[in-house]
Amino acid sequence: MKKANLAALSLIASLVFVILLASSSFAAKQDVEGNVICVEVDEKGNVNGMDQFTECDGVFMVVGKDGKLYTVYGTEEQMKMMAKSPKKKVSGQVGGSQRAWVIYGSPLDIQKGTDQTVTGTIVCLLPSYEKGNVTPVVSTGPCNEATPHAHVIYTKDGQVYALSGSEAAISSIEKNPQRTNVTLSGKVVGNQGAWILYVE
């Protein structure tokens, strides 16, 4: 009986250790190598992905060498530093899914975001990993069959938000044929260079 209890305790201790190990590796920072770009709206109302910039009025993205496209989130100070001296490597915690990866340069509690409704145009950011950039496209219909890519929504006043959220929420946006005058609700977090709308 004592041997059975000892074996059970040993098994539980091992399981707890494995869970702790898994959760700590999830929380560990990762280095993402790639090309940092700024996605913003120009004076003519066109969305551009630029790899040469001194400031960014839109959002920062990393076209990763690992074949993923990441939205960059960080403090206002981190975003200003990134604009002044863009790097080929960004460090932080990674979250999201294939069509909405985010790399967090600083901790973020999404629930502390502001509930907001945003109306604007949804733009697909089709990645070119060879060139280290994206081609912004306003699709004429659903985009769920296209190569996995990220999305932004921009408003009439030129504000750009990277879209993130659950796979189901992003999939719903991709399957919707309407791309202009789209209204999305969710939580807005971030600052200049790192505005993100988490859709629900």
Side-chain angles (χ1 to χ4, degrees):
M1 184 73 174
K2 285 184 179 180
K3 285 185 178 179
N5 286 342
L6 190 59
L9 284 174
S10 176
L11 182 62
I12 290 170
S14 298
L15 187 59
V16 167
F17 177 75
V18 168
I19 290 170
L20 286 172
L21 190 62
S23 62
S24 66
S25 66
F26 176 76
K29 285 193 172 187
Q30 297 181 34
D31 290 332
V32 174
E33 291 188 37
N35 200 32
V36 175
I37 62 169
C38 171
V39 177
E40 66 178 16
V41 180
D42 65 19
E43 294 173 357
K44 295 179 181 177
N46 299 314
V47 176
N48 298 298
M50 302 176 301
D51 57 6
Q52 301 291 322
F53 49 83
T54 54
E55 61 181 6
C56 182
D57 292 328
V59 294
F60 284 111
M61 310 284 290
V62 178
V63 184
K65 288 184 178 178
D66 59 0
K68 296 177 183 175
L69 187 58
Y70 301 86
T71 298
V72 180
Y73 172 83
T75 64
E76 190 171 354
E77 190 62 33
Q78 286 172 320
M79 296 300 97
K80 285 179 181 176
M81 286 175 57
M82 185 170 288
K84 289 177 183 175
S85 58
K87 299 179 179 178
K88 296 292 182 184
K89 186 191 298 184
V90 177
S91 297
Q93 293 178 327
V94 173
S97 63
Q98 186 60 32
R99 294 177 187 255
W101 291 112
V102 180
I103 184 161
Y104 302 95
S106 62
L108 171 66
D109 183 354
I110 297 166
Q111 296 309 313
K112 291 184 179 177
T114 305
D115 289 321
Q116 199 164 324
T117 299
V118 175
T119 300
T121 300
I122 294 177
V123 179
C124 299
L125 302 177
L126 303 176
S128 170
Y129 295 106
E130 299 78 25
K131 295 179 181 176
N133 210 330
V134 296
T135 301
V137 175
V138 178
S139 178
T140 56
C143 63
N144 57 307
E145 297 294 325
T147 301
H149 57 281
H151 305 83
V152 296
I153 185 169
Y154 73 93
T155 63
K156 287 181 180 177
D157 63 0
Q159 181 64 58
V160 179
Y161 299 90
L163 295 181
S164 192
S166 67
E167 284 194 57
I170 298 299
S171 177
S172 175
I173 291 168
E174 289 186 330
K175 290 176 181 176
N176 187 343
Q178 185 177 351
R179 295 294 150 149
T180 58
N181 202 30
V182 176
T183 299
L184 299 174
S185 295
K187 290 195 178 288
V188 170
V189 295
N191 51 66
Q192 190 67 37
W195 289 113
I196 302 174
L197 173 62
Y198 284 88
V199 290
E200 300 165 344

